Amino acid sequence: MFRFESPIYLYGLVLVVILAVIRFITYRSQKKRLRKFGDPQLLKELMPDVSRVRPALKFWLLEAALTMLFVMLARPQFGRSINHEKRTGIETIIAMDISNSMRAQDVVPSRLERTKMMVENLVDNFSNDKIGLIVFAGDAFVQLPITSDYVSAKMFLGNIDPSMMQNQGTNIAAAIEMATHSFTQQENIGKAIIVITDGEDHEGQAIEAAKQAKERGMRVYVLGVGSTKGSPIPIPGTGDFMHDNSGNVVMSMLNENMCREVAQAGGGAYIHVENNSNAQRLLDEELDKLEHQETESTIYSDFDEQFQAVGILALLLLIIEVFILESQNPLLKKISLFGNKSKVATVLLLLIAMPSLAQTDRKYIRNGNKLYNQRDYEHAEVNYSKAIEKNDKNPQAHYNLGNALFAQRKDSAAVVKFEKAAQLETNPLRKSQSYHNMGVICQQNKMYGEAIEAYKQALRLNPNDDETRYNLVLCQQEKKKQDEQNQQDQQNKQDQNQDQQKQDQQKQNQQDKNQQQEQQQEQQKPQMSKENAEQLLNAAMQQEKQTQKRMREAQKQGERRQVEKNW
């Protein structure tokens, strides 16, 4: 595949055409002037050293060099292609249990961390297969749609934690059911559902879900993690363990019987994960029994800069032009090679410019790609950002930066970069991939409406992308559930508001009733006339005077008794 990274410089080829037109007009004008001097044949004999071919050849060599220069500035690139590779393999959906019981540390370092290591080993052993990732607890959701991108599968493992799930519990049936709808529609290919859990199914119906999966041509394999003796469940950051309603420490243990029954119902096998390598070997033996079918995977390769070859060609043309003399007698014009300083300077400038052109944004993109493949996403982000500083119009730099940000869970910034890449990209398939990644981010954040729009845009650009189509269907289903839940929540909220309004109204009515009763009691009290009030006031004043008089007399008698006693 061939493209120009900066095609705007190709408009400079208009200058080449203009110079050619000027050359043609000048040549015709020159011939007319020579005819005025005399017969052309006679003039030719009088000027034996003048050549008509060499000036024209030198001009067209310069024109070709100028053309190569503009082509070099446009940065031709080869090798960036979208390859649809044919692979022979199976499709696998990995369902990870991330309920609180997976925090138990009866296996080192914990059940959850052991599960992550197991999944990473599984991904490393896959080569031609497609994989998907589902996490579940009380409910289940797709963490990674089925894909051939193993790097993304391993990338998501680091951020998986039980805190992601709002509804705790262990609903194996929901995970199996969601996995059955996450495969592609390709027929005659082995499809495996690998459930990694401790077997504490709190919801039931896991056996029925495994049977239905088997009827649809899928096989359910269960990897049991944990100890049958049981272990307490630590609470992160507290140093304490989970307790039940009675205050007793909760002991979580591996339910091997449940795991075996689910695997048997799903036509697969149960494997106890005591040693990762041994469990991996047993699982590989089971998966090898499935039917392997040819699948198609889309692989994107890097563009390689080709401006160096174009620059070398332009340089050779200029050197040839310098060595060709206008005179037919080279013995008389040797000095002209060194006298043409402007042409020598042009060659030197081109030699100086070529190394500087090599230090373009492509260098930073290549370094970023190496760091990204080494999972050093932070430094890859730095290199991609430098590439954008060099060339803000490079869609690949924006796209790769979006991937690096996505790997670091900087979802909002990643969406911005994918949008920018989609705006700049001219290739519809690569533009489609940008929208697809935007849809994946929105889907993971349960923004199903935005994810649906992104997936639709991707399908408009690439209608043959089955992965995007299936993600779209999943999002539409989840959006429907989300809308129903929102309607239910809104209805519940309205009911609560109505109940609150009724309570407030009843309280207000009670307050009004109390006020009315107080007013009635006030009105029922006898009214006192002005004369009666004055009489009561005079009687009170008279009583007060008599009281003060008695107090003065009592004080005098006390003094006399004291005097008599002292005597």
Side-chain angles (χ1 to χ4, degrees), residues 101-199:
S101 62
M102 295 296 288
R103 297 185 189 272
Q105 299 176 351
D106 48 0
V107 293
V108 180
S110 68
R111 295 179 185 176
L112 181 60
E113 294 302 321
R114 178 64 68 88
T115 299
K116 291 181 180 180
M117 290 188 289
M118 187 67 198
V119 173
E120 189 167 351
N121 290 340
L122 288 172
V123 174
D124 289 337
N125 281 274
F126 287 145
S127 57
N128 298 323
D129 308 309
K130 287 189 175 182
I131 59 173
L133 184 61
I134 291 176
V135 293
F136 70 95
D139 52 11
F141 68 89
V142 177
Q143 179 75 358
L144 176 70
I146 191 164
T147 179
S148 300
D149 187 1
Y150 303 140
V151 175
S152 297
K154 295 171 67 175
M155 177 185 68
F156 288 117
L157 290 176
N159 298 309
I160 292 178
D161 189 79
S163 59
M164 297 171 56
M165 307 300 294
Q166 295 181 353
N167 299 326
Q168 280 298 324
T170 307
N171 194 345
I172 299 177
I176 296 176
E177 183 178 357
M178 178 165 287
T180 57
H181 294 91
S182 300
F183 290 102
T184 67
Q185 300 299 316
Q186 185 174 353
E187 298 180 354
N188 300 324
I189 184 173
K191 298 179 180 180
I193 302 174
I194 302 175
V195 181
I196 308 178
T197 179
D198 54 18

Side-chain angles (χ1 to χ4, degrees), residues 89-91 186-191 217 291-295:
I90 62 174
E91 295 181 0
Q186 185 174 353
E187 298 180 354
N188 300 324
I189 184 173
K191 298 179 180 180
E291 182 178 2
H292 288 61
Q293 186 71 19
E294 188 178 75
T295 60

Side-chain angles (χ1 to χ4, degrees), residues 12 36 75 99 153 176 358 365:
K36 291 180 181 180
R75 292 174 58 190
S99 59
I176 296 176
I365 292 178

Side-chain angles (χ1 to χ4, degrees), residues 145-338:
I146 191 164
T147 179
S148 300
D149 187 1
Y150 303 140
V151 175
S152 297
K154 295 171 67 175
M155 177 185 68
F156 288 117
L157 290 176
N159 298 309
I160 292 178
D161 189 79
S163 59
M164 297 171 56
M165 307 300 294
Q166 295 181 353
N167 299 326
Q168 280 298 324
T170 307
N171 194 345
I172 299 177
I176 296 176
E177 183 178 357
M178 178 165 287
T180 57
H181 294 91
S182 300
F183 290 102
T184 67
Q185 300 299 316
Q186 185 174 353
E187 298 180 354
N188 300 324
I189 184 173
K191 298 179 180 180
I193 302 174
I194 302 175
V195 181
I196 308 178
T197 179
D198 54 18
E200 290 188 346
D201 187 13
H202 297 165
E203 306 296 332
Q205 300 181 348
I207 297 176
E208 290 76 6
K211 289 181 180 178
Q212 293 178 3
K214 181 181 178 182
E215 293 174 356
R216 297 180 181 179
M218 305 164 192
R219 293 292 180 267
V220 180
Y221 300 89
V222 181
L223 302 182
V225 182
S227 171
T228 56
K229 297 179 181 179
S231 175
I233 303 173
I235 301 175
T238 63
D240 196 6
F241 298 98
M242 294 185 64
H243 295 75
D244 57 19
N245 296 331
S246 302
N248 300 319
V249 176
V250 177
M251 297 295 292
S252 173
M253 60 186 66
L254 173 63
N255 189 348
E256 287 194 305
N257 293 330
M258 168 63 71
C259 294
R260 287 193 180 93
E261 292 176 359
V262 173
Q264 184 177 2
Y270 165 70
I271 300 173
H272 184 202
V273 182
E274 294 179 336
N275 180 279
N276 280 10
S277 59
N278 186 44
Q280 178 69 54
R281 180 181 58 79
L282 295 175
L283 182 61
D284 288 341
E285 292 176 356
E286 294 292 336
L287 295 179
D288 288 339
K289 299 176 184 178
L290 297 178
E291 182 178 2
H292 288 61
Q293 186 71 19
E294 188 178 75
T295 60
E296 185 177 90
S297 300
T298 302
I299 305 298
Y300 298 90
S301 58
D302 288 335
F303 279 109
D304 292 327
E305 297 283 358
Q306 302 296 326
F307 71 87
Q308 299 92 336
V310 180
I312 292 173
L313 181 59
L315 182 62
L316 291 174
L317 291 174
L318 286 175
I319 292 174
I320 294 173
E321 192 274 337
V322 169
F323 276 94
I324 294 177
L325 305 177
E326 293 185 0
S327 173
Q328 291 183 356
N329 188 355
L331 296 177
L332 300 177
K333 301 295 182 179
K334 287 182 180 179
I335 194 70
S336 65
L337 173 62
F338 303 97

